[in-house]
Amino acid sequence: MTMLVLPLPGNGAMMERLLAELRAERGAVTIRRFPDGETYIRSHDPVEGRDAALVCALARPDEKAVPLLLLADTLRDLGARSVGLIAPYLAYLRQDQRFQPGEGVTSAYFARLLSGRFDWLVTVDPHLHRYRSLDEIYSIPARVVGAAPAIAAWVRSHVRNPLLIGPDGESAQWVAQVAADANAPWIVLEKHRLGDRTVEVSVPDLREWPGRTPVLVDDIISTARTQIRAVGHLRELGAPAPVCIGVHGIFADAALEELRAAGAASVVTCNTIAHATNAIDVSALLAHAIRGFVPGREGSTHG
Ligand code: R5P
């Protein structure tokens, strides 16, 4: 029997793209809030003995986690054989150590919550900094999809003469691969985070790359302070207006408007979190990884 794919609210567009790639069935679910704020869940499909997967981008995760966990429990309670999680954006990875005495290592606790409810996980470019792999905190099989090939394809077709720039050391892992796939040079800056909304980014040395269009690539754009600082330096150096790319566009508060006002030529994200800036489609890459979890591969349309 084909896999049943169910979207959490706000994930319909990604689910439709995945259904176009996978031979899977669209599941129907009602999720709504009772007047007291609690969550009502109802699955409308027979799930006994079936493999199911939930699609949920986990930006602003606190409001999504309870419905997600309750739906997973509902399906299991109704007899689903397995329940997987397709989380194009996976949250709670940046608090990956105790930076101050008494802090919670919430990445590990969130991983424990999800690992207790799901049989497998597929995500796109999780923010792995001090963890080398999701296996360090997730006890379920987890597949990671890299967005670099899709970003590189976009850069090749939209930017003439690009110079790829990573705003901090961690971004080297994404920028180097995008640059290799786009056949373009790359550099990485240094960043010091002074607070949630305060960062310092080093001034790039562009002497080797006159006339190139700067393309900033980072995994997450949240407050956009990181990219705003980098854009500011580039504009002060007289470089062409930079293209700003984020794998995951969270855009806290007025981050998008502020990044545009800082001088970005354009702001582009992958469709891991539904947003007006989505221009890079990673659904085919995600579907490829999901096929590996479809038992017997009977849900696969490709080899
Ligand atoms: C963290 O190091 C990430 O790679 C991003 O650079 C960071 O999350 C961006 O955050 P913000 O947009 O708030 O500067």
Side-chain angles (χ1 to χ4, degrees), residues 213-260:
T213 303
V215 180
L216 285 160
V217 179
D218 204 358
D219 60 337
I220 298 171
I221 306 177
S222 178
T223 65
R225 294 298 133 183
T226 303
Q227 296 224 9
I228 287 169
R229 294 298 287 170
V231 168
H233 291 321
L234 290 162
R235 300 305 280 153
E236 279 161 26
L237 290 168
V243 175
C244 295
I245 300 180
V247 178
H248 309 292
I250 294 177
F251 298 115
D253 306 320
L256 177 59
E257 294 70 28
E258 289 165 358
L259 181 52
R260 286 181 172 146

Coordinates of all heavy atoms in Angstrom, one line a residue, residues 213-260:
T213 N 29.6 39.9 -8.7 CA 28.4 40.1 -7.9 C 28.4 39.3 -6.7 O 28.4 38.1 -6.7 CB 27.1 39.7 -8.7 OG1 27.1 40.4 -10.0 CG2 25.8 40.0 -8.0
P214 N 28.4 40.0 -5.5 CA 28.4 39.2 -4.2 C 27.1 38.4 -4.0 O 26.0 39.0 -4.2 CB 28.6 40.3 -3.1 CG 28.8 41.5 -3.8 CD 28.3 41.4 -5.3
V215 N 27.2 37.2 -3.7 CA 26.1 36.3 -3.3 C 26.3 35.8 -1.9 O 27.1 34.9 -1.7 CB 25.9 35.2 -4.4 CG1 24.7 34.3 -4.0 CG2 25.8 35.7 -5.8
L216 N 25.6 36.3 -1.0 CA 25.7 35.8 0.4 C 24.9 34.6 0.5 O 23.7 34.5 0.1 CB 25.2 36.9 1.4 CG 26.1 38.1 1.6 CD1 25.3 39.3 2.1 CD2 27.2 37.7 2.5
V217 N 25.5 33.5 1.1 CA 24.7 32.3 1.3 C 24.9 31.9 2.8 O 26.0 31.7 3.3 CB 25.3 31.2 0.4 CG1 24.5 29.9 0.7 CG2 25.2 31.5 -1.0
D218 N 23.7 31.7 3.5 CA 23.8 31.2 4.9 C 22.6 30.2 5.0 O 21.7 30.1 4.2 CB 23.5 32.4 5.8 CG 24.1 32.1 7.2 OD1 24.6 31.0 7.4 OD2 24.0 33.0 8.1
D219 N 22.7 29.4 6.1 CA 21.7 28.4 6.2 C 20.4 29.0 6.7 O 19.3 28.7 6.2 CB 22.1 27.2 7.1 CG 22.5 27.6 8.5 OD1 22.8 28.8 8.7 OD2 22.4 26.8 9.5
I220 N 20.5 29.9 7.7 CA 19.3 30.5 8.3 C 19.3 32.0 8.2 O 20.3 32.6 8.4 CB 19.2 30.1 9.8 CG1 19.1 28.6 10.0 CG2 18.0 30.8 10.5 CD1 19.2 28.1 11.4
I221 N 18.2 32.6 7.8 CA 18.0 34.1 8.0 C 16.9 34.2 9.0 O 15.7 33.9 8.8 CB 17.6 34.8 6.7 CG1 18.6 34.5 5.5 CG2 17.6 36.3 6.9 CD1 18.2 35.1 4.2
S222 N 17.3 34.7 10.2 CA 16.3 34.8 11.3 C 16.0 36.3 11.5 O 15.1 36.9 11.0 CB 16.8 34.1 12.5 OG 15.9 34.3 13.6
T223 N 16.9 37.0 12.3 CA 16.7 38.4 12.5 C 17.3 39.1 11.3 O 17.1 40.3 11.1 CB 17.5 38.9 13.7 OG1 18.9 38.7 13.5 CG2 17.0 38.2 15.0
A224 N 18.1 38.4 10.5 CA 18.8 38.9 9.3 C 20.0 39.8 9.7 O 20.7 40.4 8.8 CB 17.9 39.7 8.3
R225 N 20.3 39.9 11.0 CA 21.4 40.8 11.4 C 22.7 40.4 10.7 O 23.6 41.2 10.4 CB 21.6 40.8 12.9 CG 20.5 41.4 13.7 CD 20.3 42.8 13.4 NE 18.8 43.0 13.2 CZ 18.2 44.1 12.9 NH1 18.9 45.2 12.7 NH2 16.9 44.1 12.7
T226 N 22.9 39.1 10.6 CA 24.2 38.5 10.0 C 24.3 39.1 8.6 O 25.4 39.6 8.2 CB 24.2 37.0 10.1 OG1 24.0 36.6 11.4 CG2 25.4 36.4 9.5
Q227 N 23.3 38.9 7.8 CA 23.4 39.3 6.4 C 23.4 40.8 6.3 O 24.0 41.4 5.4 CB 22.2 38.6 5.6 CG 22.3 37.1 5.6 CD 22.1 36.5 4.2 OE1 22.0 37.2 3.2 NE2 22.0 35.2 4.1
I228 N 22.6 41.5 7.2 CA 22.6 43.0 7.1 C 24.0 43.5 7.3 O 24.4 44.4 6.6 CB 21.6 43.5 8.1 CG1 20.2 43.3 7.6 CG2 21.8 45.0 8.4 CD1 19.1 43.5 8.7
R229 N 24.7 43.0 8.3 CA 26.1 43.5 8.5 C 27.0 43.2 7.3 O 27.8 44.1 6.9 CB 26.7 42.7 9.8 CG 26.1 43.0 11.1 CD 26.1 44.5 11.5 NE 27.5 44.9 11.9 CZ 27.8 46.2 12.1 NH1 27.0 47.2 11.9 NH2 29.0 46.4 12.5
A230 N 26.9 42.0 6.7 CA 27.7 41.7 5.6 C 27.3 42.6 4.4 O 28.2 43.1 3.7 CB 27.5 40.2 5.2
V231 N 26.0 42.8 4.2 CA 25.6 43.7 3.1 C 26.1 45.1 3.3 O 26.6 45.7 2.3 CB 24.0 43.7 3.0 CG1 23.5 44.8 2.1 CG2 23.5 42.4 2.5
G232 N 26.1 45.6 4.5 CA 26.6 46.9 4.8 C 28.1 47.0 4.4 O 28.4 48.0 3.8
H233 N 28.9 46.1 4.8 CA 30.3 46.1 4.4 C 30.5 46.2 2.9 O 31.3 46.9 2.4 CB 31.0 44.9 5.0 CG 31.2 44.9 6.5 ND1 31.4 46.0 7.2 CD2 31.1 43.9 7.4 CE1 31.5 45.7 8.5 NE2 31.3 44.4 8.6
L234 N 29.7 45.3 2.2 CA 29.9 45.2 0.8 C 29.5 46.5 0.1 O 30.1 47.0 -0.8 CB 29.0 44.0 0.2 CG 29.5 42.7 0.6 CD1 28.4 41.6 0.5 CD2 30.7 42.3 -0.2
R235 N 28.4 47.1 0.6 CA 28.0 48.4 0.0 C 29.0 49.5 0.3 O 29.3 50.3 -0.6 CB 26.6 48.8 0.5 CG 25.5 47.8 0.3 CD 25.3 47.5 -1.2 NE 24.6 48.5 -1.9 CZ 24.7 48.8 -3.2 NH1 25.6 48.1 -3.9 NH2 24.0 49.7 -3.8
E236 N 29.6 49.5 1.5 CA 30.6 50.5 1.8 C 31.9 50.3 0.9 O 32.6 51.3 0.6 CB 31.0 50.4 3.3 CG 30.0 51.1 4.2 CD 30.2 50.6 5.7 OE1 31.3 50.1 6.0 OE2 29.2 50.6 6.4
L237 N 32.1 49.1 0.5 CA 33.3 48.8 -0.3 C 33.0 49.2 -1.8 O 33.9 49.0 -2.7 CB 33.7 47.3 -0.2 CG 34.3 46.9 1.1 CD1 34.4 45.4 1.2 CD2 35.7 47.5 1.3
G238 N 31.8 49.5 -2.1 CA 31.4 49.9 -3.5 C 31.1 48.7 -4.3 O 31.1 48.8 -5.6
A239 N 30.9 47.5 -3.7 CA 30.6 46.3 -4.5 C 29.2 46.4 -5.1 O 28.3 47.2 -4.5 CB 30.7 45.1 -3.6
P240 N 28.9 45.7 -6.1 CA 27.5 45.7 -6.6 C 26.5 45.2 -5.5 O 27.0 44.5 -4.6 CB 27.5 44.6 -7.8 CG 29.0 44.6 -8.2 CD 29.8 44.9 -7.0
A241 N 25.3 45.6 -5.6 CA 24.3 45.2 -4.6 C 24.3 43.6 -4.5 O 24.1 43.0 -5.5 CB 22.9 45.7 -4.9
P242 N 24.4 43.1 -3.3 CA 24.5 41.6 -3.2 C 23.2 40.9 -3.3 O 22.1 41.5 -2.9 CB 25.1 41.4 -1.8 CG 24.9 42.7 -1.1 CD 24.7 43.8 -2.0
V243 N 23.2 39.7 -3.7 CA 22.1 38.8 -3.7 C 22.2 38.0 -2.4 O 23.3 37.6 -2.0 CB 22.2 37.8 -4.9 CG1 21.1 36.7 -4.8 CG2 22.1 38.5 -6.2
C244 N 21.1 38.0 -1.6 CA 21.1 37.3 -0.3 C 20.3 36.0 -0.3 O 19.1 36.0 -0.6 CB 20.5 38.2 0.8 SG 21.5 39.7 1.0
I245 N 21.0 34.9 -0.1 CA 20.3 33.6 -0.1 C 20.3 33.0 1.2 O 21.4 32.9 1.9 CB 21.0 32.7 -1.1 CG1 21.0 33.3 -2.5 CG2 20.3 31.3 -1.2 CD1 21.6 32.4 -3.6
G246 N 19.2 32.4 1.7 CA 19.1 31.6 2.9 C 18.5 30.3 2.5 O 17.5 30.3 1.8
V247 N 19.0 29.2 3.1 CA 18.3 27.9 2.9 C 17.0 28.0 3.6 O 15.9 27.7 3.0 CB 19.1 26.8 3.5 CG1 18.4 25.5 3.3 CG2 20.5 26.7 2.9
H248 N 17.0 28.5 4.8 CA 15.7 28.6 5.6 C 15.4 30.0 5.9 O 16.1 30.7 6.7 CB 15.9 27.8 6.9 CG 16.4 26.4 6.7 ND1 15.7 25.4 6.1 CD2 17.6 25.8 7.1 CE1 16.4 24.3 6.1 NE2 17.5 24.5 6.7
G249 N 14.4 30.6 5.4 CA 14.0 32.0 5.7 C 13.0 32.0 6.8 O 11.8 31.8 6.6
I250 N 13.5 32.3 8.0 CA 12.5 32.5 9.1 C 12.0 33.9 9.2 O 10.8 34.1 9.5 CB 13.3 32.1 10.4 CG1 13.6 30.6 10.4 CG2 12.4 32.4 11.7 CD1 14.4 30.1 11.6
F251 N 12.9 34.9 9.0 CA 12.5 36.3 9.0 C 11.7 36.7 10.2 O 10.5 36.9 10.1 CB 11.7 36.6 7.7 CG 12.5 36.3 6.4 CD1 12.1 35.3 5.5 CD2 13.6 37.1 6.1 CE1 12.8 35.1 4.4 CE2 14.4 36.9 5.0 CZ 14.0 35.9 4.1
A252 N 12.4 36.8 11.3 CA 11.7 37.3 12.5 C 11.4 38.8 12.4 O 12.2 39.6 11.8 CB 12.7 37.1 13.7
D253 N 10.2 39.2 12.8 CA 9.7 40.6 12.8 C 9.9 41.2 11.4 O 9.5 40.6 10.4 CB 10.4 41.4 13.9 CG 10.3 40.7 15.3 OD1 9.2 40.2 15.5 OD2 11.2 40.6 16.0
A254 N 10.6 42.3 11.4 CA 10.7 43.0 10.1 C 12.1 42.7 9.4 O 12.6 43.5 8.6 CB 10.6 44.5 10.3
A255 N 12.6 41.5 9.6 CA 13.9 41.2 9.1 C 14.0 41.3 7.6 O 15.0 41.8 7.1 CB 14.3 39.7 9.5
L256 N 13.0 40.9 6.9 CA 13.1 41.0 5.4 C 13.2 42.4 4.9 O 14.0 42.8 4.1 CB 11.9 40.2 4.8 CG 11.8 40.3 3.2 CD1 13.0 39.7 2.6 CD2 10.5 39.6 2.7
E257 N 12.3 43.2 5.4 CA 12.3 44.6 5.0 C 13.6 45.3 5.4 O 14.2 46.1 4.6 CB 11.2 45.4 5.7 CG 9.7 45.0 5.3 CD 9.3 43.6 5.8 OE1 9.9 43.2 6.9 OE2 8.5 42.9 5.1
E258 N 14.2 45.0 6.6 CA 15.4 45.6 7.0 C 16.6 45.1 6.1 O 17.5 45.9 5.8 CB 15.7 45.2 8.5 CG 14.7 46.0 9.4 CD 14.7 45.4 10.8 OE1 15.4 44.4 11.1 OE2 13.9 46.0 11.6
L259 N 16.6 43.9 5.7 CA 17.6 43.3 4.8 C 17.5 44.0 3.4 O 18.6 44.4 2.9 CB 17.5 41.8 4.7 CG 18.5 41.1 3.8 CD1 19.9 41.4 4.3 CD2 18.3 39.6 3.9
R260 N 16.3 44.2 3.0 CA 16.2 44.9 1.7 C 16.7 46.4 1.8 O 17.4 46.9 1.0 CB 14.7 44.9 1.2 CG 14.3 43.5 0.7 CD 12.9 43.5 0.2 NE 12.6 42.2 -0.4 CZ 11.4 41.6 -0.4 NH1 10.4 42.1 0.3 NH2 11.2 40.5 -1.0

